[in-house]
Amino acid sequence: MSDVAKHEDHSPATAKARILLYSDDRNVREKVRFAVGSTTHGRPIEWLETATHEAVITAADTQSFDLLILDGEAAKSGGMGICRQLKHELYVCPPILLLVGRPGDAWLATWSEADAAVAHPLDPFVVRESVDAFFATATQTS
């Protein structure tokens, strides 16, 4: 098999980046998707949007994701509690980016065991940079 065929078959650079996005607010989900765009480090992004605690847990249990983005300000079940639950219940938990209410809530992201946090109001450049950081090492090692 030629090198070209090998590169096209299963190259990490062309594999989709699977991201689960949780918020009970459709506007927040739309802002995040707009900020991140359709690719990260040359990889197309496949989004799964969820609006309930149960949907996040079911998806995380049954599917594979490269990143979870959880809204800590979601009503009923906030992303902070869900983050902590997933970190304790999943044997291999994907990295989690937590959307927190304000910069002063960064300590709550630490308690939640999130891998990174971005504060509301969401700055599109900060959101994009934060998501890209999770995929930068995978692209650089290939």
Side-chain angles (χ1 to χ4, degrees):
M1 183 179 267
S2 73
D3 287 338
V4 174
K6 288 180 187 174
H7 177 74
E8 291 177 355
D9 286 347
H10 299 290
S11 170
T14 58
K16 288 184 179 179
R18 298 203 66 230
I19 301 176
L20 180 144
L21 174 57
Y22 164 69
S23 178
D24 66 332
D25 185 339
R26 182 182 340 160
N27 293 324
V28 170
R29 294 193 310 264
E30 187 177 297
K31 287 176 185 177
V32 170
R33 287 186 61 170
F34 178 76
V36 174
S38 60
T39 63
T40 179
H41 289 281
R43 293 174 63 182
I45 297 175
E46 180 181 322
W47 293 95
L48 175 64
E49 292 187 38
T50 60
T52 66
H53 180 175
E54 183 179 332
V56 174
I57 300 303
T58 300
D61 278 342
T62 60
Q63 299 179 49
S64 175
F65 295 97
D66 298 303
L67 176 64
L68 307 179
I69 302 175
L70 307 177
D71 185 1
E73 298 302 302
K76 294 187 183 178
S77 292
M80 292 179 213
I82 295 172
C83 177
R84 189 167 172 92
Q85 178 182 354
L86 291 172
K87 290 291 187 173
H88 287 253
E89 291 181 0
L90 292 179
Y91 183 69
V92 178
C93 186
I96 297 176
L97 173 62
L98 192 58
L99 308 177
V100 296
R102 56 192 174 89
D105 291 339
W107 72 272
L108 289 169
T110 302
W111 171 85
S112 300
E113 301 179 30
D115 298 281
V118 174
H120 286 280
L122 299 174
D123 178 331
F125 296 106
V126 174
V127 172
R128 172 72 185 194
E129 184 178 286
S130 298
V131 170
D132 280 347
F134 287 102
F135 296 95
T137 54
T139 303
Q140 292 173 355
T141 58
S142 56

